[in-house]
Amino acid sequence: MGAYILRRLLLIIPTLFGIMLINFVLTQFVPGGPIEQILARLDGSGDVFETIAGGSGDVDTESLDGGDSGYVGARGLPKEFIEELEREFGFDKPAYQRFFEMMWNYMRFDFGESYFRSISVVDLVLEKMPVSISLGLWSTLLAYLISIPLGIRKAVRDGSSFDTWTSGVLIAAYAIPGFLFAIMLLVLFAGGSYFQWFPLRGLTSDNWEDLSLIGKVVDYFWHLALPLAASMISAFTFSTLLTKNSFLDEISKQYVVTARSKGLSEARVLYGHVFRNAMLIVIAGFPAAFIGIFFGGSLIIETIFSLDGLGRLGFEAAVARDYPVIFGTLFAFGLIGLIVGIISDLMYVFVDPRIDFEKREA
């Protein structure tokens, strides 16, 4: 197992390098870089994309000193000023040199400073982290705590009326987009048109510091109730059906028939023999499920419920072409995702020690 883990760890290096290289190359062909953003604002255009959409044919790119600039929105600005901007952002260097310097810094976990926020990327991520951790962690935990017992009960009562109507509810829940369900919750329970039971924004109330410990906990989950419900609906449905199908597959195997023929109670057969094998794929997938909710599904939920987390940070950085934030978070989260893949494999071995990845590779 040690050799397998070592190989997986070594594989992280070329994989992460490839991820960063592909994204870096793609950004070289995307219009509206950080310098164009600044020049468009100085020119009064407000947004470089408005200038691009309006057509670049009418744009006079000559500067005051008669020089020529290749940047949209650079009209009326001295060439020396633009060159100083390029030096400040590092765009006076060739692309390959910028890439390798960036990777060298990232290998030392030096992610630099945001172009437009005057704050280090690490501090910016740490500032947004509580929201994303809250959504990712609690959504995953609640989805598992509800879906596992429900999935087991559906498997035991397969084909019954309980299984039929719960399957209908699950299919309907899975078909509802998360953002649509979030809007519905806002309209119904956050003062949209009916009830004002839950707050509209933030993780805590304004008087949170004055509350007791129990009051802080209640206030925290009061704010999280609607975002959690919206973010966990798909994960909860998938986990329930996965648990049910996994149990049904195990129940039909010969060792279950043998255990029943020995006179063991149904509960002993189910939780003493079937549970460990059936839950292998469900439990081992917990790290990946958490990372998926943590990084992947938070943008729309954060926007609808006015939560300032990593999802909105990534979106705003992409729109503003804030490259240190984009590539810094891509490197960090890519590294975390690759490590979580290894942890998922270790979870398989922890749940079922009979699994040996080295023999499977051989």
Side-chain angles (χ1 to χ4, degrees), residues 137-147 228 232 236:
L137 179 61
W138 294 117
S139 295
T140 308
L141 285 177
L142 286 174
Y144 270 65
L145 288 174
I146 297 173
S147 63
L228 284 180
M232 68 175 282
F236 150 74

Side-chain angles (χ1 to χ4, degrees), residues 16-213:
L16 192 57
F17 184 87
I19 292 172
M20 297 300 296
L21 179 60
I22 292 173
N23 284 273
F24 184 85
V25 171
L26 289 176
T27 58
Q28 307 308 306
F29 300 98
V30 177
I35 294 181
E36 288 187 347
Q37 294 274 3
I38 293 175
L39 294 178
R41 295 172 187 176
L42 291 175
D43 185 56
S45 301
D47 193 319
V48 67
F49 303 107
E50 296 177 6
T51 309
I52 294 174
S56 57
D58 298 332
V59 177
D60 178 14
T61 56
E62 285 193 11
S63 48
L64 290 178
D65 61 356
D68 189 30
S69 170
Y71 292 107
V72 175
R75 58 179 180 266
L77 296 173
K79 183 178 180 181
E80 292 79 7
F81 174 75
I82 298 174
E83 291 175 347
E84 179 61 29
L85 277 179
E86 289 179 338
R87 282 193 296 272
E88 182 178 345
F89 286 101
F91 288 104
D92 58 328
K93 303 174 183 176
Y96 71 88
Q97 183 178 348
R98 287 188 280 118
F99 175 75
F100 284 109
E101 288 181 356
M102 178 185 73
M103 291 302 296
W104 172 246
N105 290 331
Y106 287 177
M107 288 172 62
R108 295 178 291 137
F109 295 98
D110 178 9
F111 298 108
E113 186 175 286
S114 168
Y115 283 160
F116 305 108
R117 298 178 185 244
S118 298
I119 182 175
S120 71
V121 174
V122 174
D123 291 338
L124 191 58
V125 170
L126 292 177
E127 179 184 319
K128 313 296 183 183
M129 192 74 79
V131 171
S132 295
I133 288 181
S134 296
L135 287 176
L137 179 61
W138 294 117
S139 295
T140 308
L141 285 177
L142 286 174
Y144 270 65
L145 288 174
I146 297 173
S147 63
I148 290 176
L150 180 59
I152 294 174
R153 185 169 179 80
K154 283 175 63 62
V156 172
R157 302 184 60 180
D158 182 45
S160 66
S161 59
F162 172 81
D163 179 47
T164 301
W165 73 261
T166 53
S167 294
V169 173
L170 290 174
I171 293 172
Y174 188 77
I176 299 175
F179 75 92
L180 184 61
F181 187 62
I183 294 173
M184 182 181 71
L185 291 176
L186 280 179
V187 172
L188 291 177
F189 304 114
S193 301
Y194 297 93
F195 307 104
Q196 181 66 59
W197 290 351
F198 298 95
L200 284 171
R201 58 181 58 87
L203 284 181
T204 57
S205 301
D206 295 335
N207 64 335
W208 192 79
E209 294 293 340
D210 301 327
L211 299 175
S212 63
L213 178 60

Side-chain angles (χ1 to χ4, degrees), residues 274-285:
V274 176
F275 185 85
R276 181 176 179 177
N277 296 323
M279 292 307 299
L280 174 62
I281 190 173
V282 179
I283 296 176

